[in-house]
Amino acid sequence: MQAYWTLVRRELSAYFFSMTGYVIIAAAMFLLGLSFVDLLKQLRHQPTPMPVTELFYMTWFFWLILVLTTPVITMRLFALEKFSGTFETLMTTPVSDRQVVLAKFSAAMTFYVLLWLPLLGCVLVVRFYTNEPAVLDAGIMGSTFVGILLLGGLFISLGCCASALTRSQVTAAMVSLLLSASLFLLAVLADQLPAQATWQSQALSCFALFDQMHDYARAVVDTRLALFCVTATLFFLFLTLRIVESRRWK
């Protein structure tokens, strides 16, 4: 475990000792702030029965942040190591392949969670000016962040797998963006098509991320999203591990 935590700290420091990490944080904060400005303009001092988190989720800013930031967060994880020649040096140290993959994933997830902390600040601002305790309901905020965490794990694992495939950060980001966009389009398709009893429709309903995340944003925990995201995350981490282990076959 000591080696694992050392690798996690190493990966986290790489985010905060480079401009890339601060650019990602600034872009995410800008989009979060822009989304709440747009949200408040649409309300125009009119009361609403919906929680603020549900209103925020109904905008495109949530998916824009999710789809665009995760490829940038993960592109350097393995690709930069391979490009700079430090990957082989890292793998010759007394750490296992599994520890390396989990450490890089954990560091990326930690950074991803930090990106979303300003969302809590936005809700606090609304709570302060409206003087409405229900705005900052602990259950609603908790379920919303659980949903954000579940989707983040899925998209981060996609990025890890893409980064392990190449030596180029740009290529890794593009592959990750392509996979993330494909998953997003599947969610759009599942949202548009009517529910049917066929197995194709049932399979496509697993990708109905919009409806499932909508439930989390209003404190309704849907186990379908948790099961799908956890299973898919473990699958892509397994693929990443196999890609890392493939160097032994060459």
Side-chain angles (χ1 to χ4, degrees):
M1 288 300 294
Q2 181 64 33
Y4 166 78
W5 289 114
T6 301
L7 288 173
V8 171
R9 289 195 297 268
R10 172 179 177 267
E11 293 299 326
L12 277 176
S13 64
Y15 286 112
F16 292 104
F17 284 98
S18 67
M19 285 298 297
T20 304
Y22 294 100
V23 169
I24 298 172
I25 292 175
M29 290 182 65
F30 173 76
L31 290 174
L32 280 172
L34 191 63
S35 68
F36 266 86
V37 169
D38 181 66
L39 185 151
L40 294 176
K41 283 183 178 179
Q42 291 181 16
L43 289 177
R44 297 186 184 277
H45 307 291
Q46 297 297 321
T48 174
M50 295 183 181
V52 175
T53 52
E54 186 176 356
L55 292 173
F56 165 69
Y57 164 73
M58 292 172 67
T59 67
W60 286 100
F61 290 98
F62 171 80
W63 295 100
L64 192 64
I65 296 172
L66 182 66
V67 173
L68 294 184
T69 59
T70 48
V72 184
I73 292 173
T74 57
M75 67 180 185
R76 55 164 299 279
L77 292 177
F78 293 94
L80 181 60
E81 297 267 15
K82 293 180 178 181
F83 177 78
S84 61
T86 59
F87 183 70
E88 291 301 328
T89 303
L90 173 64
M91 302 312 294
T92 56
T93 58
V95 293
S96 64
D97 296 344
R98 185 178 302 174
Q99 286 178 320
V100 171
V101 172
L102 289 179
K104 288 181 177 292
F105 173 76
S106 300
M109 279 298 298
T110 303
F111 186 81
Y112 168 82
V113 171
L114 293 176
L115 287 183
W116 287 100
L117 290 182
L119 176 61
L120 180 60
C122 292
V123 178
L124 284 172
V125 170
V126 177
R127 165 69 176 83
F128 177 79
Y129 283 103
T130 59
N131 198 27
E132 177 58 52
V135 171
L136 195 62
D137 182 83
I140 293 175
M141 291 301 300
S143 63
T144 300
F145 273 95
V146 168
I148 291 173
L149 189 66
L150 288 171
L151 287 175
L154 172 56
F155 282 85
I156 292 292
S157 64
L158 277 172
C160 288
C161 187
S163 183
L165 287 170
T166 179
R167 297 167 54 90
S168 170
Q169 294 186 70
V170 176
T171 303
M174 295 303 295
V175 172
S176 177
L177 182 60
L178 178 63
L179 293 174
S180 300
S182 300
L183 186 60
F184 175 77
L185 291 176
L186 282 174
V188 172
L189 184 61
D191 184 60
Q192 296 297 324
L193 292 181
Q196 298 177 357
T198 61
W199 68 268
Q200 295 93 337
S201 179
Q202 294 295 323
L204 190 61
S205 66
C206 296
F207 297 94
L209 302 180
F210 295 158
D211 291 338
Q212 295 166 15
M213 186 59 200
H214 195 185
D215 290 337
Y216 277 82
R218 56 185 176 182
V220 178
V221 178
D222 191 340
T223 56
R224 292 179 301 166
L225 179 65
L227 183 61
F228 173 75
C229 288
V230 170
T231 304
T233 299
L234 292 176
F235 173 73
F236 284 108
L237 287 179
F238 174 77
L239 288 183
T240 305
L241 179 61
R242 287 293 175 262
I243 293 170
V244 172
E245 291 177 340
S246 67
R247 74 187 190 282
R248 301 176 181 174
W249 309 336
K250 298 179 181 179

